[in-house]
Amino acid sequence: MIPSPPQGVWELGPFPLRAYALWIILGIVVAIWWGERRWVARGGRAGVVLDTALWAVPFGLVGGRLYHVATDWYRYFGEGRNPVDALKIWDGGLGIWGAVALGAVGAYIGLRQQGIRAIGAFGDAVAPGIVLAQGIGRLGNYFNQELYGRETDVPWALEIYQRYDETYGYSETIGRSTGQVLATVHPTFLYELLWNVLVAVALVVIDRRFRLGHGRLFALYVALYCFGRFWVELLRADAATEILGLRINTVVSVVVMVAALIYVWRARRGREDPSDLRAPEDLTGGSPEDAPPLAGR
């Protein structure tokens, strides 16, 4: 059996240190670092990914929270609910599709601010880092004891403990563990984490073999992630909004996966020229060390 952490928050004086936030931040840092390396290797200017992230990350966080609140609205609105809780992103709850959609809008704005039009190439560069960041972020769900699957007795089942907090009383997510095991469940956070790591590796291998461009690698990331998320959702048993008897995230996974595969099939083949990844001023007035690398790099 896999034990859950005894707590997900540590009080450092007046400041709560939340594991969920730490794993999200670590994932963002890894995605930016790896995306920057891949962007420069494709011919882009150093610093573009970080500058773009200043737009994409806030947009993505807002989009992820909006999606979560919209699809799990009953958790925050209605009798006995406090709508203010919808703003408490630190307690968990980010919808990946909202994060990617609005994060893409932020990235578009950030790139245009820098005079760069190769939006698809940017997506291809950062795709492996994004899906790896998603896997890292799932460790936050582990510490929060959330997003787990149905009860099971498999050897790798996850133990969910009862927790107690002086303010909120007994719960699964808030406070410290009492040691009492409430259930043994499928560790769906771990399934998705492992799948995301495999997708990140697969994207790198496929990109090196076929030199995908024009957003096709990013679309492939979306399709592969949705495929994994589809079967992970089938193992979930917690309350969720449903469409035609199916969990909404199951339906969204199928729709988005099909749309992404159509884009991979229909989009332009080949890869952008390195000069396409630069703003006009970079090509005319940049320093020698900022010059685009050879196309065959």
Side-chain angles (χ1 to χ4, degrees):
M1 298 292 179
I2 301 174
S4 290
Q7 64 194 98
V9 182
W10 295 264
E11 302 294 338
L12 301 179
F15 304 103
L17 183 64
R18 303 178 184 276
Y20 182 83
L22 292 177
W23 289 113
I24 292 291
I25 292 171
L26 177 60
I28 292 172
V29 171
V30 169
I32 293 173
W33 171 79
W34 195 7
E36 183 77 16
R37 290 176 60 89
R38 286 177 51 81
W39 175 256
V40 172
R42 284 174 173 251
R45 174 175 57 82
V48 166
V49 173
L50 178 58
D51 291 343
T52 305
L54 297 177
W55 288 89
V57 171
F59 271 69
L61 291 175
V62 172
R65 189 60 177 179
L66 287 175
Y67 179 90
H68 168 73
V69 172
T71 54
D72 286 353
W73 58 270
Y74 56 87
R75 300 178 186 271
Y76 308 102
F77 304 101
E79 185 178 355
R81 302 295 183 178
N82 184 2
V84 176
D85 290 341
L87 303 176
K88 297 179 180 179
I89 192 173
W90 52 85
D91 286 337
L94 290 173
I96 183 60
W97 291 282
V100 171
L102 212 55
V105 173
Y108 174 80
I109 296 173
L111 290 170
R112 292 305 296 263
Q113 289 281 334
Q114 300 171 79
I116 297 172
R117 298 179 178 275
I119 310 299
F122 182 86
D124 293 336
V126 300
I130 290 177
V131 72
L132 181 58
Q134 291 173 226
I136 294 172
R138 282 304 178 204
L139 290 171
N141 301 133
Y142 172 52
F143 277 84
N144 276 4
Q145 288 197 146
E146 60 184 0
L147 301 184
Y148 50 80
R150 297 192 300 269
E151 292 195 37
T152 182
D153 59 358
V154 297
W156 58 87
L158 176 69
E159 294 180 334
I160 299 298
Y161 298 139
Q162 181 186 68
R163 289 179 175 178
Y164 178 78
D165 179 83
E166 293 182 356
T167 301
Y168 297 96
Y170 292 99
S171 73
E172 295 179 11
T173 59
I174 301 174
R176 290 183 56 87
S177 170
T178 65
Q180 179 182 351
V181 178
L182 299 177
T184 57
V185 298
H186 279 288
T188 49
F189 84 91
L190 180 60
Y191 299 162
E192 186 171 332
L193 187 160
L194 294 175
W195 176 254
N196 289 348
V197 171
L198 288 174
V199 171
V201 173
L203 291 176
V204 172
V205 172
I206 292 171
D207 194 33
R208 289 177 177 174
R209 174 65 178 83
F210 298 102
R211 296 183 57 80
L212 301 182
H214 304 285
R216 295 177 71 214
L217 189 72
F218 185 86
L220 185 60
Y221 137 66
V222 172
L224 290 174
Y225 172 77
C226 287
F227 176 76
R229 183 62 182 268
F230 173 80
W231 60 261
V232 167
E233 284 291 325
L234 295 178
L235 295 173
R236 298 271 298 277
D238 54 316
T241 302
E242 294 186 351
I243 299 177
L244 300 176
L246 297 173
R247 297 172 65 93
I248 188 170
N249 285 334
T250 302
V251 176
V252 172
S253 293
V254 174
V255 172
V256 175
M257 179 177 66
V258 171
L261 289 174
I262 291 174
Y263 182 90
V264 173
W265 174 48
R266 300 284 295 178
R268 181 180 173 184
R269 301 303 194 258
R271 182 177 289 187
E272 299 85 351
D273 187 271
S275 62
D276 295 336
L277 279 61
R278 299 286 183 122
E281 56 269 25
D282 294 334
L283 299 175
T284 58
S287 60
E289 59 269 22
D290 283 338
L294 295 177
R297 178 174 176 176

